[in-house]
Amino acid sequence: MLNEFKEFIAKGNVMDMAVGIIIGAAFTAIVTSLVGDLINPLIALFTGGIDFSGWFYSLDGETYASLSTAQEAGAPVFAIGNFIMAVINFLIVAFVVFMLVKTVNRVKAAAEKEPEVKEEAPKGPSEIDVLLEIRDALAKQRAS
């Protein structure tokens, strides 16, 4: 069993997957910042200052000043704003992954593309052929 595990770990796909997961985890922080620090303010600008993170519905019938207040009180809430932010994060990550895969596929296709075989131009006689012809012509002239 231990040998099988070693063989499994040694396969290239497992290592590629591990690198992908690590990069993905690091990329999550960038996307979270992009959405929270850049996209949300733009959405708020176009929607008249609406902040998605403040969108929630309390299921206990009480009114709370903010989502954090409701959560601290232990109230059950639908955090609609958090869900919208998760969807925006997903769409951004999905788009970036799509662009990365598209670029990698383009690079792979360019690398695998067979070089065009150029037709060789018809070659004339080599130097030796020319010298042999001259020798033979001189020999004929001497013989005559």
Side-chain angles (χ1 to χ4, degrees):
M1 187 168 157
L2 185 59
N3 288 333
E4 287 180 50
F5 181 70
K6 286 179 185 178
E7 288 176 25
F8 173 74
I9 291 297
K11 288 184 180 177
N13 293 340
V14 174
M15 297 308 290
D16 292 343
M17 183 179 66
V19 169
I21 290 170
I22 292 167
I23 290 174
F27 189 67
T28 300
I30 294 170
V31 171
T32 301
S33 175
L34 175 70
V35 172
D37 299 333
L38 300 177
I39 293 176
N40 281 349
L42 289 175
I43 292 173
L45 178 68
F46 290 116
T47 59
I50 296 174
D51 180 17
F52 288 120
S53 63
W55 285 9
F56 70 97
Y57 293 104
S58 173
L59 299 177
D60 65 358
E62 298 291 324
T63 304
Y64 298 95
S66 68
L67 175 61
S68 61
T69 306
Q71 289 173 334
E72 286 174 7
V77 294
F78 278 137
I80 303 297
N82 289 343
F83 177 74
I84 290 172
M85 296 312 303
V87 169
I88 291 171
N89 283 348
F90 169 76
L91 292 174
I92 291 170
V93 169
F95 178 73
V96 169
V97 168
F98 168 74
M99 295 304 292
L100 286 172
V101 168
K102 186 175 177 179
T103 302
V104 167
N105 287 341
R106 189 178 305 139
V107 168
K108 275 186 179 179
E112 292 174 358
K113 188 176 183 181
E114 294 180 20
E116 295 180 18
V117 178
K118 296 181 181 178
E119 290 185 30
E120 293 184 21
K123 294 182 179 179
S126 68
E127 290 179 21
I128 294 176
D129 293 334
V130 172
L131 290 172
L132 290 174
E133 284 181 32
I134 294 172
R135 181 195 68 184
D136 293 342
L138 289 171
K140 277 185 184 179
Q141 283 180 351
R142 287 186 197 155
S144 345

